[in-house]
Amino acid sequence: MSADFKALQEEILRLKEEKHALILAHNYQRDEVQDIADFVGDSLELSRTASSIDCKMIVFCGVKFMAESASILSPDKTVLLPELEANCPMADMIRVDSPRPVRTSFPGFSNPPAYVYPAEFTLRDIKQKYPGVPVVAYVNTTAEVKAESDICCTSANVVKVIESLPGDVVICIPDKNLSMWAARSTKKKVIAWDGYCNVHERVTPEDVVTAKAAHPSALVVAHPECRLDVLELADHVTSTSGMLRYAASSSAQEFIIGTEIGLLHRLRKENPGKLFYPLRKDMICPNMKKTTLQSVLRAFRENTHVIKVPEEIRVPAKRALDRMLALP
Ligand code: 13P
Ligand code: SF4
């Protein structure tokens, strides 16, 4: 590690103690940022931690919807997002009452197992079309969208959330890949939305074939935000922390990892001796990489950027998050 990183890390840790703060980081954060965090995890683990930890301040190294969730769950704590522009593009793909730009191509979905709702609709449109049908919002959504939804889910619990709901139909927003993956594991009809993660959706079946040819002994592990035709070729499909558990418990020695490359840091650190290869080297989320040690230090020094969700949105959004967190 460079001397510069070490000095920055020491100063961050000093300020963290002084301000009774905790640093939470997503598994996709830069290696050096993960290394100063009190807790590194997937979206579900980070939500659980944010709702239960005892501190005055949370510095959230991730993207905006994650810091919003922390603020929704812990309104008495100061929640800081070091980079205000660290947004998840998928979270902006569904809006409560103003349509988003239309996309016309649907790579990988010549025969989708669920209906993908056209992009020119809003969440209120779809709720009006299916009155009474519960809405499951992936945590990768804005606080406003969560507030209009019945329950949240993450990639780690989407099927359990769908199965917990009454009736035979659910609306699942905004990630069509995750929704269609879940649709295969439930008897319920899943009405999906045409949202996607551009980091995961760029992976093609040909990428899997190429990676397997280069590493024939490796198991392929993919995130459910990948296209369905990619997931079909994987040995295991799971959330980022699910990948950590899978790699730790598997007797295999080599793994091809189909998610953002930030996860490789923990995989390698926690599994010395095992080998991990990115499914594609360009699986890099630019928004997750915006947070640097410098921006974390600035967050502590300048109190930047406070994320606070207005009460009229926070209360209904919390209900959706709490319903998810109450599931075993
Ligand atoms: P996980 O919940 O699996 O960590 O995924 C979050 C995310 O943003 C995936 O792109
Ligand atoms: Fe959003 Fe994809 Fe980045 Fe995750 S990896 S934060 S879904 S853009």
Side-chain angles (χ1 to χ4, degrees):
M1 181 191 306
S2 81
D4 282 357
F5 276 0
K6 207 162 179 342
L8 284 167
Q9 286 175 329
E10 278 168 13
E11 181 59 2
I12 289 168
L13 295 178
R14 192 189 67 74
L15 286 168
K16 186 177 79 106
E17 294 299 315
E18 192 180 295
K19 293 180 183 268
H20 303 287
L22 284 177
I23 301 175
L24 303 188
H26 187 263
N27 285 323
Y28 296 160
Q29 288 290 293
R30 291 168 183 269
D31 300 359
E32 66 276 13
V33 171
Q34 292 190 31
D35 289 342
I36 45 135
D38 295 282
F39 185 81
V40 186
D42 69 6
S43 306
L44 183 60
E45 293 170 333
L46 290 169
S47 297
R48 286 200 193 285
T49 308
S51 70
S52 63
I53 49 175
D54 183 20
C55 62
K56 283 194 174 153
M57 176 187 276
I58 296 173
V59 176
F60 212 113
C61 303
V63 287
K64 195 167 179 187
F65 77 79
M66 296 178 172
E68 275 185 350
S69 293
S71 167
I72 290 165
L73 292 165
S74 296
D76 300 334
K77 295 178 185 129
T78 303
V79 177
L80 299 182
L81 180 70
E83 291 288 342
L84 198 54
E85 297 303 315
N87 291 305
C88 169
M90 188 206 289
D92 292 326
M93 287 182 179
I94 184 160
R95 303 194 186 141
V96 171
D97 55 13
S98 61
R100 72 174 178 85
V102 179
R103 193 178 77 131
T104 49
S105 73
F106 295 82
F109 287 103
S110 52
N111 186 20
Y115 179 53
V116 179
Y117 218 74
E120 64 269 30
F121 287 82
T122 66
L123 176 54
R124 287 210 179 129
D125 288 336
I126 200 168
K127 282 175 70 171
Q128 255 175 27
K129 187 165 165 58
Y130 298 99
V133 173
V135 176
V136 178
Y138 193 25
V139 286
N140 299 40
T141 44
T142 62
E144 288 80 5
V145 166
K146 288 185 179 77
E148 291 265 337
S149 302
D150 294 281
I151 187 167
C152 290
C153 77
T154 74
S155 59
N157 62 11
V158 56
V159 176
K160 190 187 284 181
V161 167
I162 290 173
E163 293 287 320
S164 76
L165 295 167
D168 301 331
V169 190
V170 293
I171 297 166
C172 229
I173 55 166
D175 184 7
K176 68 177 188 303
N177 294 324
L178 179 76
S179 306
M180 291 189 186
W181 177 251
R184 299 186 141 201
S185 304
T186 175
K187 288 204 171 70
K188 290 182 197 272
K189 180 181 172 196
V190 175
I191 297 164
W193 190 265
D194 177 31
Y196 59 96
C197 163
N198 49 22
V199 178
H200 289 82
E201 207 181 54
R202 71 179 60 143
V203 182
T204 64
E206 293 72 41
D207 292 325
V208 181
V209 172
T210 307
K212 273 185 155 176
H215 307 288
S217 310
L219 295 180
V220 178
V221 193
H223 195 278
E225 287 176 12
C226 292
R227 292 165 31 166
L228 204 53
D229 52 3
V230 168
L231 299 179
E232 276 163 356
L233 299 176
D235 294 289
H236 192 56
V237 177
T238 184
S239 76
T240 54
S241 288
M243 291 185 188
L244 287 155
R245 288 188 288 276
Y246 182 73
S249 63
S250 168
S251 58
Q253 294 300 304
E254 295 180 58
F255 302 85
I256 294 163
I257 301 300
T259 197
E260 213 274 350
I261 61 164
L263 187 70
L264 295 170
H265 181 56
R266 277 189 71 190
L267 282 166
R268 288 175 178 147
K269 208 158 96 172
E270 295 174 17
N271 299 280
K274 294 190 178 181
L275 296 171
F276 299 94
Y277 315 106
L279 178 47
R280 273 177 68 125
K281 288 195 177 111
D282 64 352
M283 291 188 78
I284 299 171
C285 174
N287 285 285
M288 283 284 184
K289 299 307 190 229
K290 281 181 180 154
T291 307
T292 60
L293 288 177
Q294 283 86 352
S295 53
V296 177
L297 183 58
R298 191 186 58 223
F300 277 114
R301 285 185 175 153
E302 299 175 15
N303 223 34
T304 50
H305 300 271
V306 177
I307 302 296
K308 188 101 188 124
V309 177
E311 273 306 280
E312 66 276 16
I313 308 259
R314 189 189 76 78
V315 173
K318 183 169 187 301
R319 200 168 46 224
L321 279 165
D322 281 344
R323 281 190 186 137
M324 170 185 81
L325 293 172
L327 292 177

